[in-house]
Amino acid sequence: MSKVDYYIILLFSLLVVAVGLSFSRSGKNMKSFFAAGGAVPWGISSLSLFMSFFSAGTFVVWGSIAYQFGMVSVSIQWMMCIGGILVGLFIAGPWRKTGVLTAAEFVRERLGEKAQQFYTYLILFLSLAYAGAFLYPVAKLVNVSTGFSITACVILLGVLIMIYTAVGGLWAVMITDVLQFVILTAAVIIVVPLALRHVGGWEGFTSKVPEDFFQLIAGEYSPLFLGAFLVYNMIFIGGNWAYVQRYTSVNTVADAKKVGLLFGGLYTISPLLWMLPPMLFRAVQGDLSGLENEGAYLLMCKEVLPAGMLGLMLGGMIFATASSVNTTLNLSAAVFTNDLYKVWNPKASNTKLMWVARVSTLSFGVGTIIVALLVPAAGGIVEVVLSVGAVTGCSLYGPPIWAIFSKRQTGKSILAITLISLAINLFFKFGSPYVFGISLSRAEEMLLGSILPFLLLGAYEIWALQRNFISPDYQVYMANLAVRQQEAVVVKQTTASNQNQFGLKVLSIALVTVGLMIIGLGINATDAQALVIGMGTLVAFTPIIINRKIRFRNT
């Protein structure tokens, strides 16, 4: 990389941190810090959900599959598209109707304190592992690109992320997510035509890749796998506690549905665009193997991007991947403060709760850094954590989603089904190969993890229906829900509206800054000047739409 790229990475990093710190005054109470006032514009919430789901997968995992199998990477991500649409149609709205601040609060209200404690401690533990596992590849990306030590990269990135998350809360997370979305989209739109030109156009591309490169199904990624992956993603997008915040932080049930639908719409189009760079790199260098495949995305960017744009792309990739970390930190702090500390100390003042919220964010941030630093010594911790996540996702998040719709499930039934599903899935993942010599294929493993908890939930539902059983937990929950909904009617929305306007103004300033930065890089570029300047101009003018929206709402 050139010196210009390093300067751009530094400037972009400072911009992201400054944007996050600008929300230091917005987090004055629990609702503003963890739900951004409870009336976030649904478009911002959806883009934040998209970027939080983005993580390292797009550039590393899916980029590797795109390089190796081509269009298979797109068909896999289309399952996320369908999953997001189903969440928007059937799950996001009911989450908003619960009126809770966090998913853990719903579990406590609907299933009781024992169920809430079990889920809270387990998910906090897994969240810490996930955050550390996601922080490491971000730091690795910087390490490979710059040559800085992996330890220094982990600590520096971890500190930056936890500071602006602890200070700005959910608004800081969401606005930086949207900023990263715009930057990465602009960078990819620049990369794709330059990469196509580099390989000799579409004909040159298709002539240099395998004949089956454009098939939607290949190898272990069978229709069975895709079907199971669809179920898994629907539950993961609809039930992951970090993502639930995106549905509960908007103003209305209709807005919550739009969050899921826009997410699905973005995953209809984005895979076709995002996967082209690593696919095109197959025509540039077709002999990458093993872990080398994971670098295909960045290698294509290095081939074609002009000086400075590579730094901006890399900065966007770093902080987009880090979005999974800051989202998890905000979730962990929310659950600890709202669902553990507040229960332990119900008389705590708002000032005390906010102090606990920020300190817990920093504490989980330190834990995340420690986990990330242990990754090299532990060998395969990233793969283990992600594998366990795939196997346990539906077992953990499926039963609470079912409980939203069921009046028969109890805290005990949900806990029992979760534990049984986890035990069976983990046994077939780690125990069965050694005990019986039986290993499930990727498709079978995904199918078992996705279907088993729902078979058990359905069986219990039939059993309870035959006995005309209504859960006492459900009756208490409905009585409390009616009271909470009445209280919500009288809550003033002035603070939330002010936060929205401030958030949109900060986003506008950041986008103008980035747009001018891209225009400056285009002026100094020796190649593709018009393309880079045009894209920078488009980014710089995006705030006009945002400001019109602010003025329209004020009239």
Side-chain angles (χ1 to χ4, degrees):
M1 294 197 305
S2 66
K3 289 183 178 180
V4 176
D5 291 308
Y6 286 108
Y7 292 143
I8 293 297
I9 292 174
L10 177 61
L11 287 174
F12 181 69
S13 300
L14 292 174
L15 175 64
V16 170
V17 174
V19 168
L21 295 179
S22 68
F23 292 96
S24 59
R25 296 183 180 179
S26 65
K28 295 181 179 180
N29 55 55
M30 295 278 284
K31 191 169 186 179
S32 65
F33 192 78
F34 293 127
V40 176
W42 63 267
I44 286 179
S45 190
S46 185
L47 289 176
S48 178
L49 173 63
F50 178 82
M51 292 307 297
S52 298
F53 193 75
F54 210 67
S55 94
T58 298
F59 304 118
V60 180
V61 179
W62 309 132
S64 174
I65 294 173
Y67 175 86
Q68 186 175 1
F69 295 106
M71 281 294 292
V72 170
S73 62
V74 176
S75 62
I76 292 173
Q77 291 180 76
W78 276 341
M79 299 304 102
M80 302 171 189
C81 156
I82 300 172
I85 291 173
L86 292 174
V87 167
L89 292 174
F90 302 111
I91 298 177
W95 269 121
R96 183 63 185 85
K97 287 181 181 178
T98 63
V100 298
L101 191 64
T102 65
E105 184 180 348
F106 166 76
V107 172
R108 184 178 70 246
E109 295 284 340
R110 172 64 180 85
L111 302 172
E113 286 192 15
K114 289 185 178 179
Q116 183 251 349
Q117 289 175 356
F118 167 78
Y119 276 103
T120 296
Y121 288 122
L122 182 57
I123 288 180
L124 281 179
F125 172 76
L126 290 177
S127 295
L128 188 63
Y130 291 152
F134 284 131
L135 178 58
Y136 179 77
V138 181
K140 189 68 176 178
L141 193 63
V142 180
N143 164 252
V144 171
S145 302
T146 64
F148 299 148
S149 74
I150 188 67
T151 300
C153 293
V154 166
I155 294 174
L156 178 60
L157 287 170
V159 169
L160 288 176
I161 293 167
M162 71 182 187
I163 286 176
Y164 75 72
T165 304
V167 172
L170 188 60
W171 257 119
V173 174
M174 287 190 170
I175 293 299
T176 53
D177 284 347
V178 175
L179 178 63
Q180 292 149 24
F181 171 81
V182 173
I183 290 171
L184 282 175
T185 301
V188 170
I189 291 175
I190 293 173
V191 169
V192 169
L194 295 179
L196 270 173
R197 185 186 67 180
H198 187 70
V199 300
W202 187 256
E203 291 185 4
F205 169 48
T206 55
S207 65
K208 297 174 184 176
V209 296
E211 292 183 1
D212 60 352
F213 205 60
F214 299 98
Q215 293 182 4
L216 295 177
I217 297 171
E220 59 187 349
Y221 304 105
S222 63
L224 181 65
F225 169 82
L226 293 178
F229 194 63
L230 165 60
V231 176
Y232 166 78
N233 275 284
M234 180 180 69
I235 299 305
F236 194 73
I237 298 166
N240 183 298
W241 287 14
Y243 304 155
V244 168
Q245 282 181 294
R246 302 306 187 267
Y247 315 130
T248 59
S249 62
V250 294
N251 196 30
T252 66
V253 171
D255 285 348
K257 292 181 177 180
K258 292 175 184 176
V259 171
L261 292 174
L262 177 57
F263 174 92
L266 289 171
Y267 260 107
T268 304
I269 303 168
S270 62
L272 293 169
L273 180 66
W274 290 104
M275 292 300 100
L276 273 175
M279 288 173 65
L280 287 164
F281 193 70
R282 182 67 180 266
V284 176
Q285 185 176 346
D287 58 352
L288 295 183
S289 61
L291 296 179
E292 292 178 339
N293 293 348
E294 297 178 353
Y297 214 113
L298 191 57
L299 290 172
M300 187 73 255
C301 294
K302 285 184 174 181
E303 285 280 334
V304 299
L305 281 177
M309 278 307 301
L310 177 59
L312 189 63
M313 179 73 176
L314 182 59
M317 290 169 70
I318 291 168
F319 281 97
T321 305
S323 175
S324 297
V325 181
N326 61 36
T327 295
T328 303
L329 289 182
N330 186 260
L331 161 74
S332 300
V335 171
F336 179 83
T337 307
N338 188 65
D339 304 296
L340 292 180
Y341 181 80
K342 195 176 177 181
V343 173
W344 299 333
N345 188 7
K347 295 182 180 180
S349 65
N350 181 67
T351 302
K352 182 68 172 180
L353 289 173
M354 290 308 304
W355 182 83
V356 172
R358 290 192 163 95
V359 170
S360 60
T361 303
L362 294 173
S363 300
F364 281 109
V366 172
T368 296
I369 291 173
I370 293 172
V371 171
L373 290 173
L374 291 174
V375 168
I381 188 171
V382 174
E383 182 177 350
V384 170
V385 168
L386 295 180
S387 295
V388 171
V391 171
T392 62
C394 289
S395 298
L396 280 176
Y397 303 124
I401 291 177
W402 189 290
I404 297 176
F405 302 96
S406 172
K407 60 183 179 180
R408 306 185 191 280
Q409 297 287 344
T410 66
K412 290 182 179 179
S413 69
I414 291 293
L415 270 179
I417 290 169
T418 298
L419 288 170
I420 293 171
S421 300
L422 283 172
I424 293 174
N425 279 299
L426 290 172
F427 173 76
F428 276 99
K429 174 65 179 179
F430 299 107
S432 177
Y434 299 100
V435 177
F436 301 118
I438 299 174
S439 297
L440 300 181
S441 67
R442 187 181 294 271
E444 292 168 341
E445 181 181 276
M446 185 64 68
L447 184 65
L448 177 66
S450 301
I451 300 300
L452 178 61
F454 297 104
L455 293 177
L456 296 175
L457 287 164
Y460 178 87
E461 202 77 24
I462 294 172
W463 177 86
L465 178 63
Q466 291 175 342
R467 288 158 178 77
N468 198 29
F469 172 76
I470 305 297
S471 168
D473 297 333
Y474 173 79
Q475 294 172 334
V476 172
Y477 167 73
M478 291 304 294
N480 292 335
L481 178 62
V483 174
R484 189 162 59 244
Q485 288 175 337
Q486 283 184 336
E487 293 174 347
V489 172
V490 300
V491 174
K492 295 182 179 180
Q493 296 297 321
T494 304
T495 301
S497 177
N498 290 339
Q499 285 186 24
N500 288 350
Q501 293 180 29
F502 178 73
L504 292 173
K505 288 178 180 177
V506 171
L507 179 60
S508 297
I509 294 171
L511 288 175
V512 169
T513 303
V514 172
L516 293 175
M517 191 185 301
I518 295 175
I519 291 172
L521 293 173
I523 293 173
N524 292 320
T526 57
D527 185 28
Q529 277 188 326
L531 179 61
V532 176
I533 292 173
M535 189 53 59
T537 303
L538 183 62
V539 171
F541 274 91
T542 300
I544 294 177
I545 301 174
I546 297 175
N547 286 321
R548 283 182 177 178
K549 187 174 183 179
I550 295 174
R551 287 196 297 271
F552 176 77
R553 288 193 170 190
N554 288 337
T555 57

